[in-house]
Every structure is written in structure tokens, then in C-alpha cells.
Amino acid sequence: MSDATVAARQVRYEQKLFWRNPASAFFAFLFPIIFLVVFATIFKDTNAPVNGVKVKYDDYYIPALVTFGVIGACFTNIAASISIRRDDGILKRLRGTPLPPWAFLAGVIGSSVIVSVLLVVLTVGFGVLVYGVHLPNHFGPLLLSLAVGAMTFCALGLAMTVAIPNAEAAPAIVNGVLLPVVFISGTFFPIDPTSVVTKIAEYFPVKHFINALFTAFDPAHQSATGFVGNDLLIMAAWGVVGIVIAVRRFRWEPRRT
Amino acid sequence: MAAIVVSDLRKSYGALEAVRGVSFEVKEGEVFGLLGPNGAGKTTIVEILEGYRQRDSGDVSVLGQDPRTAGRSLRERVGLVLQEAAVPPLLTARELIEMYRGYYPHPRPTGEVLELVGLSEKADERVRRLSGGQQRRLDVALGLVGDPELIFLDEPTTGFDPSARRNAWEVVRNMRTLGKTIVLTTHYMDEAEHLADRICVIAQGRVVAEDTPGNLRARTVGQTQIRFSVPQGVRMEDIPVKADVRDGTAVIATSTATRTVNELTTWALGRGIELPNLEVVRPTLEDVYLELTSDE
């Protein structure tokens, strides 16, 4: 069997593992939709100032919550599931087989990307059908932004495992790192672009992911191309940092106590 | 031909010298028992051979390759069963074996592997519904599935109940009949005695004995004990052979048990004394082991 076939089979096994934990699979998909329903209800018929124009709140939330969902499927899911399997000795055992490490990681990342794609379709579909949000105006840039975002947050998820000492600590550390950044990046409501909070958020990838998707959806037809190179570059830079940390410091064995 | 050659292996963790100059050879096709108490350095030695840990010094050859640098080509020929069963709970036994089959160039058939570890009936159960012993056997199946030439079994029966241990021993014997070389780590003397062709006893990071179970047992010559309860009215000086009396029990150590028993019984019969609870006790390998591994 060729290595590419082995990698493809790893994606399939990762998918099986994902869907056989129905509770976590269910919430991965439901979470962004719950947020959408809550915010759409609170901010019914109001407008949000984004990038100097006013758009419907719902049109802002779709890109923001898609971002939230993809980060959950990539960053949170990888950081947590790898930490658990490392603690259980499953990674150590795999490392003793001829399975190439890249094929294992390709399986993990490939599976997260499949989940992300389903999640985007479901969230956008729900928004369009129930709240009448605009379909994305620039499909190519949307796919490109999603691809860069998914890869970046998969890489950061792998890098995150380096800082997680054991499986019990995983949720606290992952949420402790992620939620403040998600919050200041305006995932739940747009934040004044001139505020200090936004200045800080601009150093992190979440804000740029939201902005990249918003620009691709482009509900107010402001953008000719559908993407802002800067957003993609800053995200990709974080992705590269994640990859470097993961390649150098990834651990296959539980930490000895 | 040696499957494994280890010479003057050393490994420290900080100030702790875990392995202090260990040398041994494992022949092709034999079951080699690495025996020692917890913390003796067995797992460190095995993990160096498996390629998980780097040695500080010494030479190591596993199937003709250095595990430090060998990588994938060696992993294709070696099967591992680590100290803790590590099987993902949400796959079935069959799916897991199928998954591992894909990693090896010449895997054994799934059905055969399941049969070998006695899990044919449980093939389509999810792993989390298997008992601890069954999960451990599945773990052994994963070590076998690549049809390796050499298998490391690190404490395969720790925590098993007696019947599960017997089953696991049967699996190891099955593997031996397939012609595999097996390195078995254990802290159970009886396990090494039942399964191993040769036993290497490790204590405090050193080899304290390396021999066949029979020869190790031969070390017990001279340590046979004769015991009996001292009857009323018999004084220590009356007993015709040198004996220690503790709590009313006389204990005689001897290398010539037949003659000593004869002297004792002749004396007792002549005086019309019955010797209550008379017994002759051959020391077990366990005693040899405890003596070898006790702190100097």
C-alpha cells in the first residue's frame, strides 16, 4: 500500500472516530447555529457598522460564526483529541509502527477540514434559509480564505499540544487561550475598529480570519476582489509559526510524572 | 545468529543511573525473559531497543540495525506491546487490526490474528466494550499483525486475574511456535519460568544473572529446608543435626536432604517420637529471584 493510500485511510479512520462520538460531533455543528439564533434574535432588524458601512447584523454573524466553527473543528478539536490520545499512549504505540508521522497528521488535518467544510455549508445554509442573509459574493476568495484559515488553525492546534501537559488540562488551556482572543476579535459582536481592543486583536489570527471571510461574503459590495491580502498573510504567518513549533516540539509520548 | 546484541549499555536520567553497563544477547527464535522488580531498569532497556529512548553509551543491535538510527525499515520488522494497553475505544477490534495491517508491507490476515489472541468472537465489538484482559490481548494482536520477526512484550499480564494470565501465556506460546523471537519483560517469576527459554535478571540497572530457568533453579542446591514442629519434651540439643528453632519450629538447611531426613527419622523412630508437620521444602525460583534482586 502506498503512503498516499495510507494517509487517505487515516482520514477515514479519523472520520469514524469523530462521528462515533455523537455528542461532540453534534455540538461541533450545533454551537455556531445556537449562537446565530441567539444573536439574530437579540439584534433583530438592527444594523452593524462594519468597515465603515452599515450591514445587517445577520450578515456580520455568518462570517464570524463560520470562523468560530472552523476554529472549533480545527484548533480546539485537534488540540484536545491529540492530547487525550497522547495521554492514553495511543500516539506512542502508533509511533512504534511504520506509519509515517506525516501520514498520521494528514489524517487528523484532513478529517478536521472535512468537518469544517460541512460546518460552513450548514451554517451558511441555515443563515440563508432562516435569516435571509446574503450568499457569498466572491466564491474563489471565500474558498481560499477558508483553506488558509483551516490550515492555520490546524497547525496552531498541533502546536498547542506542546503546551498541554496532560489530557485533563486540555480544555482549560485551549479555552483559556482561545476564548479571550475570540472575544476581542469581535466574533460575538463587532468591536469599534479604533478601540485599543481591536488594535490588540489585530496581532492575532482570529480577527483576520473573520475579516477575510466577511470580505469574501461582501454583503455591501465594497470589495472588487473579495479578499484583503494582509488578512491572509497574517493568518498564514501564524500558521507557519504553528508548523515550526509542531515540527520541533511535538510529543508522541505522555509526559512522565 | 543473534536477534539482539547489547553491550555495556548505559542510561541515566539526571543523577539517576537507570541502566549501568548491561550486556546480553537474544538468540533468534527464543523467548528471552527480562526479569526484575519495578524500577530495575527493564523498561528503560526495552525502550532503548524499541527506539523510543536514546542511550548514553554502549552498543545496541536489533535485527542487525541500530535502533537509534534505523527508523521505518526496522519498525516494519518489529512488533511492540507496550506496558499499557493503548487501543482507541471507539473502533471495533477488527477495524483496529485492519488499520494496523495497512501500516506493514506483509501483514498477517485479520481473521488469523484475531484467532491467535482468542478474540474471534469479539471481532465486531467496540474496543471500549471489551474487558481489560481482552483489550490487552487486542494490544498483543496489534503487535503481531505486521508479522514481525521480533516482538517486545512489556509486562503483558500485569493486573490480570489468574485465568486471564493463563490465556495470555497461551498466546505467547502460540507466537513462539510461529518462530518469532520474543523479548518478554516481567516482574513475575512464574511468568518468566513458564514462558522463557532464558532469563536475564536485572536489579538496580545491572544484570545479576542470565541463564535458563533450569540452571537458575540449580543455584538452589544447598538451600533445601527440612522443617518440623519440635515435640513436647524434646530439647534442641537432642536433635541429631544442626537446626535453628524459631517459634517452636525446627528449620534445617541442607544440601543432602535424603541423608538428613534419614538421620532425623531414624533418631525419632528410635526414641518413639512423632515429628509433627514434617516437611521438605525445595526453594522455588522465586526465592532465587528474591535473593538476586534484594538490595546489596
Side-chain angles (χ1 to χ4, degrees):
Chain A
M1 202 178 297
S2 77
D3 284 357
T5 318
V6 172
R9 282 166 48 115
Q10 284 302 120
V11 176
R12 221 177 69 213
Y13 283 114
E14 294 292 335
Q15 277 289 292
K16 267 189 189 163
L17 290 175
F18 179 82
W19 293 105
R20 283 189 189 172
N21 193 348
S24 88
F26 183 71
F27 281 106
F29 287 97
L30 203 66
F31 237 7
I33 290 182
I34 290 175
F35 276 118
L36 179 61
V37 171
V38 169
F39 289 124
T41 310
I42 296 174
F43 297 106
K44 197 170 184 309
D45 299 327
T46 51
N47 292 325
V50 183
N51 295 351
V53 290
K54 283 193 177 299
V55 298
K56 273 176 63 186
Y57 257 110
D58 299 345
D59 275 324
Y60 177 75
Y61 281 131
I62 288 293
L65 293 176
V66 162
T67 302
F68 185 65
V70 170
I71 291 173
C74 295
F75 177 79
T76 311
N77 176 43
I78 287 180
S81 81
I82 292 283
S83 303
I84 291 168
R85 285 190 269 175
R86 182 175 61 198
D87 252 26
D88 288 344
I90 291 169
L91 296 192
K92 181 178 181 180
R93 208 193 192 311
L94 272 180
R95 192 69 193 94
T97 72
L99 175 69
W102 73 262
F104 169 73
L105 295 176
V108 171
I109 292 169
S111 173
S112 291
V113 169
I114 291 175
V115 173
S116 298
V117 169
L118 291 175
L119 211 139
V120 171
V121 171
L122 200 76
T123 309
V124 174
F126 189 85
V128 170
L129 293 177
V130 178
Y131 295 107
V133 300
H134 295 90
L135 276 169
N137 267 318
H138 310 277
F139 262 104
L142 178 69
L143 289 181
L144 179 68
S145 301
L146 281 172
V148 173
M151 284 305 146
T152 293
F153 283 97
C154 284
L156 290 174
L158 289 173
M160 193 72 236
T161 63
V162 170
I164 296 174
N166 55 62
E168 286 76 28
I173 293 177
V174 170
N175 287 325
V177 169
L178 180 63
L179 288 183
V181 178
V182 163
F183 203 78
I184 65 170
S185 299
T187 306
F188 303 122
F189 40 82
I191 293 177
D192 178 3
T194 59
S195 82
V196 169
V197 170
T198 302
K199 298 280 176 250
I200 296 169
E202 276 170 356
Y203 287 102
F204 296 98
V206 180
K207 167 103 189 126
H208 296 286
F209 196 8
I210 297 174
N211 204 47
L213 293 187
F214 182 80
T215 311
F217 273 84
D218 197 15
H221 300 276
Q222 295 165 280
S223 171
T225 56
F227 65 88
V228 183
N230 213 23
D231 288 328
L232 297 187
L233 277 178
I234 291 170
M235 260 201 289
W238 274 90
V240 170
V241 169
I243 289 169
V244 169
I245 293 174
V247 166
R248 291 196 163 180
R249 304 283 306 279
F250 192 78
R251 284 185 292 122
W252 296 82
E253 297 180 40
R255 185 161 282 175
R256 285 171 167 245
T257 47
Chain B
M1 178 69 191
I4 297 177
V5 183
V6 174
S7 66
D8 201 25
L9 177 65
R10 285 168 198 278
K11 172 77 182 178
S12 298
Y13 298 111
L16 174 75
E17 284 183 84
V19 181
R20 317 176 182 190
V22 163
S23 304
F24 58 83
E25 281 193 16
V26 179
K27 296 190 198 89
E28 243 172 45
E30 76 174 344
V31 179
F32 185 82
L34 265 179
L35 181 67
N38 288 328
K42 302 181 304 275
T43 295
T44 299
I45 294 170
V46 169
E47 290 199 335
I48 289 169
L49 298 179
E50 291 167 340
Y52 283 115
R53 248 158 261 309
Q54 304 290 318
R55 58 189 188 263
D56 293 342
S57 67
D59 287 321
V60 175
S61 158
V62 176
L63 301 176
Q65 302 189 60
D66 183 343
R68 177 155 59 185
T69 52
R72 193 170 170 183
S73 65
L74 182 57
R75 289 198 289 270
E76 286 177 349
R77 299 166 63 199
V78 173
L80 305 182
V81 180
L82 306 178
Q83 209 169 93
E84 278 161 52
V87 280
L90 295 173
L91 294 175
T92 69
R94 187 192 305 280
E95 284 170 337
L96 194 56
I97 290 174
E98 293 280 344
M99 177 172 123
Y100 269 66
R101 287 187 82 233
Y103 303 160
Y104 293 91
H106 309 290
R108 303 185 80 90
T110 306
E112 186 194 297
V113 175
L114 284 164
E115 182 79 44
L116 215 51
V117 298
L119 282 178
S120 303
E121 311 283 300
K122 299 284 180 184
D124 296 308
E125 287 279 351
R126 295 226 181 138
V127 169
R128 71 164 160 211
R129 280 201 271 275
L130 301 179
S131 71
Q134 288 166 341
Q135 291 192 9
R136 191 63 178 154
R137 276 188 276 154
L138 179 57
D139 209 24
V140 173
L142 298 181
L144 281 174
V145 73
D147 199 20
E149 296 157 53
L150 169 67
I151 300 166
F152 289 98
L153 295 173
D154 199 357
E155 301 191 0
T157 66
T158 299
F160 277 25
D161 63 42
S163 85
R165 286 184 76 203
R166 296 277 159 183
N167 287 339
W169 289 359
E170 197 52 44
V171 171
V172 176
R173 288 199 195 95
N174 288 345
M175 297 190 327
R176 189 176 186 283
T177 53
L178 295 172
K180 309 297 182 198
T181 307
I182 298 167
V183 175
L184 170 77
T185 318
T186 181
H187 53 248
Y188 297 123
M189 184 69 222
D190 56 336
E191 184 158 291
E193 193 178 356
H194 272 93
L195 297 175
D197 298 307
R198 283 191 308 131
I199 296 174
C200 178
V201 183
I202 307 274
Q204 293 169 334
R206 290 195 180 90
V207 176
V208 291
E210 187 192 341
D211 223 323
T212 62
N215 285 345
L216 280 179
R217 193 192 276 283
R219 293 179 182 228
T220 63
V221 168
Q223 291 170 25
T224 302
Q225 291 187 345
I226 299 164
R227 298 183 207 157
F228 59 90
S229 303
V230 182
Q232 290 280 324
V234 173
R235 287 173 302 163
M236 230 179 100
E237 309 86 270
D238 296 339
I239 303 171
V241 291
K242 189 177 164 295
D244 289 328
V245 178
R246 290 181 225 131
D247 302 329
T249 300
V251 179
I252 299 156
T254 177
S255 56
T256 51
T258 316
R259 206 172 75 203
T260 312
V261 168
N262 191 1
E263 274 173 50
L264 260 180
T265 51
T266 307
W267 161 75
L269 283 174
R271 302 195 34 176
I273 306 170
E274 174 62 23
L275 299 177
N277 303 321
L278 175 66
E279 57 180 354
V280 179
V281 184
R282 284 254 293 146
T284 59
L285 266 187
E286 191 96 29
D287 298 321
V288 183
Y289 165 66
L290 288 174
E291 197 186 304
L292 284 170
T293 56
S294 63
D295 296 358
E296 290 107 36

